Amino acid sequence: MLSFDSFMLLSALLLIVGVITTKLSSRLGVPALVLFIAVGMVVGSDGLGLIYFDNAEVAEFIGVVALVVILFEGGLQTKWKTVKPIIPPSLSLATLGVIITSTIVAVAVKYILGVSWTEALLFGSIVGSTDAAAVFAILKGENVKERLGSTLEAESGTNDPMAIFLTVMFIEVLTTDQASVFSFITTFFWQMGIGLLIGIVFGKLATYSINKIQLDSGGLYPVFALAFAFLTYSVTDFIQASGLLAVYVTALIIGNQDLSYRQSIIRFHEGFAWMMQILMFILLGLLVFPNQLFTWDIVWNSLLISFTLLFIARPVAVFLSLLRSKFSTKEKWFLSWAGLRGAVPIVLATYPLTAGIENSQLFFNVVFFVVLTSCLLQGSTISYLARKLNLVGEQTSAPFHTLELVSIGKANAELVEYTVKARDSIANQQIRSIPIPKKSLINAIIRNDQLVTPKGHTVVRTGDILFILTSKESKDQLKKILKESTPYPVNEDAATVEESD
């Protein structure tokens, strides 16, 4: 048993190693989550022996908490305008795609592992969904075409409920004699429908609450938002609906509304999501005993199942699910290869362990190996495949210029960030000609990653990022002016004024 001081020291070292690992992963061309798992295996009982961990229930609990945080962060940063057009294909992949993948894998598992059909279908359900943590981590910073990236993110954010439903259903079939098809169908529609409804309600409630409440410190707003993530999951799960779906929908609504302290909230959850990824994957690595995993039978059988999943089940599922979509053939091949498996299958593999299902340890070891194979093969080649198939968009970089005043928590003021678009009225206008409210002031302009000091004669140009300090009662009026598309009358020479800034 570790002492408290030893536990704190080890936790600090693991987090430091985890953060450094993210830097090494890009240089090595290996997904960071694989290295996180490797760290867990190295410090575990079969490695350095620093930590002995074999509690599947604790791993399942922490895994679910981590998934809530990761899905919430992913939803916050997902743009509705890019998701809306691809909702039908994403939902098709998240439902029909999971069923097809699970069924094909189950056939392979039946003959490779020699288990019953119900057990084989249980295994197929466990690995049937793509993983949000893996997909969000791999696609972050990549310049894959927006429609493809959005489809993958939306699919991975919404297909966990289907995989969880199928997994729980087959565990119930194996452990009880009272399972019925009608109850399963009813449960499915209840989980999906109510999960979606609660996600919408709590998303609107959270947005309203964050914007209306006046907290003493700006640092409390991210905590307030996180509380809604956990509240959404717990309430939804309490009534036996899909908590993960509700959390993702809630975050999607919050992230696409005008939000007080937006940057603070997003940056906090981005860091917290990384921490939970590090914790979750290291913990899952600890749960594995390499001397049980790397045996000839496990390795050979896992490779056969991985081959079936990557080269048969996933492509068939994608092509059938997107049969009537507008995706080209090469885009479908890319979507097939980019369907990473990650934490969700490993967390789901702990369900049979806690339920005492026969062959549960075998399933866990094989699922773990399948996930490793998926991350290593797919995760390290996604960017290369996108370039080979000419599916990359223009290289974009997220703006790192974040200007927020953390000292105005009690003040009746807020800092608004706005990116000027070509159709906006304020584009090509001098600042003095823009009728912003009296209690508003343009504090800074970021142009081509350079700071421009705003003056009366400064011309606002398309692509400029404006930081405007405004009173809260003037915020709505200010945003209405910023988004106005009818040009204001200005000096005709304004757009050609030479600026000395």
Side-chain angles (χ1 to χ4, degrees):
M1 183 74 177
L2 288 174
S3 66
F4 178 76
D5 291 341
S6 299
F7 173 78
M8 291 293 289
L9 176 61
L10 189 59
S11 299
L13 291 176
L14 288 177
L15 283 175
I16 291 172
V17 170
V19 172
I20 294 174
T21 294
T22 61
K23 186 68 175 179
L24 294 175
S25 67
S26 59
R27 295 185 178 182
L28 297 175
V30 178
L33 55 91
V34 175
L35 299 181
F36 297 156
I37 291 174
V39 170
M41 296 172 69
V42 168
V43 302
S45 56
D46 280 355
L48 299 177
L50 298 177
I51 302 176
Y52 180 86
F53 180 77
D54 64 352
N55 194 320
E57 292 182 355
V58 172
E60 179 184 323
F61 171 77
I62 295 178
V64 171
V65 173
L67 288 174
V68 169
V69 174
I70 293 166
L71 279 172
F72 191 72
E73 188 269 339
L76 284 177
Q77 302 214 45
T78 300
K79 301 300 181 184
W80 174 247
K81 66 178 181 179
T82 62
V83 169
K84 186 177 180 180
I86 49 86
I87 286 179
S90 297
L91 290 181
S92 181
L93 287 169
T95 52
L96 179 61
V98 172
I99 294 174
I100 294 173
T101 301
S102 302
T103 303
I104 295 175
V105 171
V107 174
V109 170
K110 165 65 179 174
Y111 294 104
I112 293 173
L113 299 183
V115 296
S116 67
W117 276 111
T118 305
E119 289 176 314
L121 288 168
L122 171 61
F123 186 98
S125 302
I126 290 173
V127 299
S129 68
T130 58
D131 181 61
V135 171
F136 290 157
I138 295 297
L139 291 181
K140 192 168 291 184
E142 300 293 342
N143 59 328
V144 176
K145 282 189 175 180
E146 188 175 68
R147 186 172 68 141
L148 293 174
S150 299
T151 301
L152 288 168
E153 291 184 356
E155 177 199 3
S156 64
T158 56
N159 67 2
D160 294 341
M162 173 60 79
I164 294 172
F165 168 76
L166 292 174
T167 299
V168 172
M169 179 181 74
F170 287 116
I171 288 177
E172 187 175 337
V173 171
L174 288 167
T175 56
T176 66
D177 298 325
Q178 301 177 347
S180 69
V181 175
F182 177 76
S183 66
F184 288 144
I185 295 175
T186 304
T187 300
F188 171 76
F189 284 105
W190 169 266
Q191 289 188 354
M192 299 301 109
I194 300 301
L196 177 63
L197 178 62
I198 292 180
I200 294 173
V201 171
F202 274 81
K204 293 182 178 297
L205 176 62
T207 303
Y208 178 83
S209 301
I210 292 170
N211 285 333
K212 290 299 180 181
I213 195 170
Q214 294 188 26
L215 299 174
D216 291 344
S217 171
L220 291 174
Y221 285 87
V223 179
F224 194 49
L226 180 64
F228 274 99
F230 289 127
L231 180 64
T232 301
Y233 179 84
S234 58
V235 170
T236 311
D237 189 64
F238 180 77
I239 60 176
Q240 298 182 338
S242 177
L244 294 180
L245 176 62
V247 167
Y248 184 74
V249 173
T250 295
L252 188 63
I253 291 175
I254 295 174
N256 284 275
Q257 301 294 323
D258 291 330
L259 206 62
S260 298
Y261 290 89
R262 167 181 290 276
Q263 293 302 323
S264 293
I265 292 173
I266 290 178
R267 295 293 169 247
F268 171 86
H269 284 93
E270 185 176 23
F272 194 38
W274 269 112
M275 188 180 78
M276 294 307 294
Q277 282 192 55
I278 293 171
L279 173 64
M280 176 174 60
F281 284 111
I282 289 179
L283 190 66
L284 294 175
L286 288 171
L287 195 60
V288 173
F289 291 82
N291 63 351
Q292 298 177 11
L293 181 66
F294 297 107
T295 63
W296 174 249
D297 287 342
I298 294 294
V299 171
W300 175 245
N301 290 334
S302 299
L303 286 175
L304 290 176
I305 294 172
S306 295
F307 179 88
T308 303
L309 173 63
L310 302 184
F311 296 100
I312 301 176
R314 172 67 180 180
V316 170
V318 168
F319 275 81
L320 290 179
S321 300
L322 303 180
L323 201 59
R324 296 185 177 181
S325 71
K326 296 181 180 179
F327 287 102
S328 65
T329 300
K330 65 179 183 180
E331 288 176 328
K332 292 177 183 177
W333 279 117
F334 177 79
L335 291 172
S336 300
W337 188 247
L340 276 77
R341 268 59 189 173
V344 171
I346 300 177
V347 172
L348 290 181
T350 64
Y351 284 28
L353 287 173
T354 57
I357 301 294
E358 186 181 1
N359 295 318
S360 59
Q361 188 60 55
L362 170 65
F363 281 10
F364 182 85
N365 290 335
V366 175
V367 167
F368 194 92
F369 200 95
V370 168
V371 169
L372 282 180
T373 305
S374 172
C375 291
L376 285 171
L377 288 180
Q378 296 173 283
S380 58
T381 56
I382 284 180
S383 298
Y384 173 78
L385 182 63
R387 291 193 299 270
K388 292 295 289 184
L389 295 177
N390 196 27
L391 296 176
V392 294
E394 294 182 3
Q395 186 67 45
T396 58
S397 57
F400 291 101
H401 24 74
T402 298
L403 181 62
E404 289 193 336
L405 304 182
V406 296
S407 61
I408 60 174
K410 293 182 179 180
N412 185 31
E414 192 169 325
L415 197 63
V416 174
E417 176 185 342
Y418 186 76
T419 302
V420 180
K421 303 174 184 62
R423 65 176 182 273
D424 290 342
S425 306
I426 64 174
N428 298 321
Q429 309 298 315
Q430 290 183 331
I431 287 179
R432 58 176 157 233
S433 67
I434 300 175
I436 61 175
K438 290 184 178 180
K439 294 184 179 181
S440 301
L441 178 66
I442 299 177
N443 295 88
I445 300 175
I446 302 296
R447 178 177 299 161
N448 299 324
D449 292 328
Q450 299 295 320
L451 176 66
V452 174
T453 303
K455 299 177 182 178
H457 67 268
T458 301
V459 177
V460 174
R461 303 195 184 281
T462 300
D464 283 357
I465 299 175
L466 309 181
F467 290 93
I468 309 172
L469 185 64
T470 183
S471 62
K472 290 190 175 181
E473 60 265 22
S474 302
K475 181 179 175 182
D476 291 340
Q477 181 186 357
L478 171 65
K479 291 192 173 183
K480 183 178 180 182
I481 292 171
L482 293 176
K483 295 178 180 179
E484 177 62 53
S485 59
T486 303
Y488 299 113
V490 296
N491 188 319
E492 60 183 7
D493 297 325
T496 60
V497 172
E498 285 291 331
E499 299 181 38
S500 58
D501 303 338

